[in-house]
Amino acid sequence: MFADYSHEARAIAQGCQLVAGVDEVGRGPLAGPVVAAAVILDPQTIPNGLADSKLLSATRRDALFEIILQQALGVGIGSASAVEIDRINIRQATLLAMRRAVAALPLSPGLVLVDGNDPPSLACSCEAIIGGDALISSIAAASIIAKVMRDRMMARLGQLYPAYGFAGHAGYGTAQHRAALKEHGPCPAHRYSFAPVKGVWARAE
């Protein structure tokens, strides 16, 4: 099932000129940042096949990533690092990444549609939609941008810290990742407030 643009179209018909979709990726991993994206689609050029990024193949995500960047009126990306996650907790870091993504947009939206039920505080109107990444075109586009960006960030971290295999599991708690943690201990990219690191290792100051 593909997302559609009807929700945004209704808001535009009611006088809201610019509608942004926002989604995040990376709340659950043991390492790396949480990444959010904000996307304002062009109502005249909606990419075909927008859907929840988790339901798309990596090849399709990469293709849609490029199409969204080319056709959208605006794309903003924000993240919160593992250090920030440890300092303010994953919920607050996720909301911070979302605010940063909206702030990074080249245009100011009148309405922001956010996946889930926990929207950030923004200067404009904001609506949370459970399952929005599968239903709402702008949110689906944001989920794709966030997913591809985070995967690429984790691949770069994998080059810095090759012992953990970040490019393969993106920091999630796979058996391979947990075995590497047990053997090598955590690196600076790990979240020290998450088990199994929490209470066992302390981040170097």
Side-chain angles (χ1 to χ4, degrees), residues 27-192:
R27 287 180 70 116
L30 309 182
V34 58
V35 177
V39 177
I40 302 174
L41 293 174
D42 183 345
Q44 306 303 317
T45 314
I46 307 299
N48 292 322
L50 293 175
D52 178 357
S53 63
K54 298 184 292 295
L55 304 179
L56 300 171
S57 68
T59 300
R60 185 60 181 151
R61 279 197 304 267
D62 286 342
L64 281 168
F65 177 88
E66 298 299 335
I67 292 169
I68 293 164
L69 291 182
Q70 292 168 10
Q71 297 183 354
L73 297 178
V75 174
I77 298 163
S79 66
S81 68
V83 172
E84 289 176 310
I85 291 168
D86 290 342
R87 187 171 68 243
I88 63 176
N89 75 48
I90 185 59
R91 175 179 178 268
Q92 294 299 329
T94 299
L95 296 173
L96 176 61
M98 289 180 175
R99 290 195 296 271
R100 286 172 172 169
V102 173
L105 286 167
L107 301 166
S108 296
L111 173 64
V112 170
L113 305 174
V114 180
D115 182 52
N117 61 359
D118 190 18
S121 297
L122 299 170
C124 64
S125 297
C126 187
E127 180 182 350
I129 301 171
I130 295 174
D133 51 359
L135 302 172
I136 310 295
S137 292
S138 297
I139 300 178
S143 80
I144 292 164
I145 295 292
K147 170 66 174 166
V148 173
M149 284 300 301
R150 188 176 188 280
D151 283 353
R152 292 179 180 181
M153 292 166 76
M154 294 308 298
R156 288 196 292 272
L157 283 175
Q159 293 175 344
L160 286 174
Y161 308 106
Y164 303 96
F166 288 145
H169 53 65
Y172 284 89
T174 63
Q176 174 204 358
H177 188 185
R178 290 177 183 274
L181 262 175
K182 185 175 291 188
E183 180 178 356
H184 302 287
C187 73
H190 279 97
R191 302 175 182 180
Y192 284 69

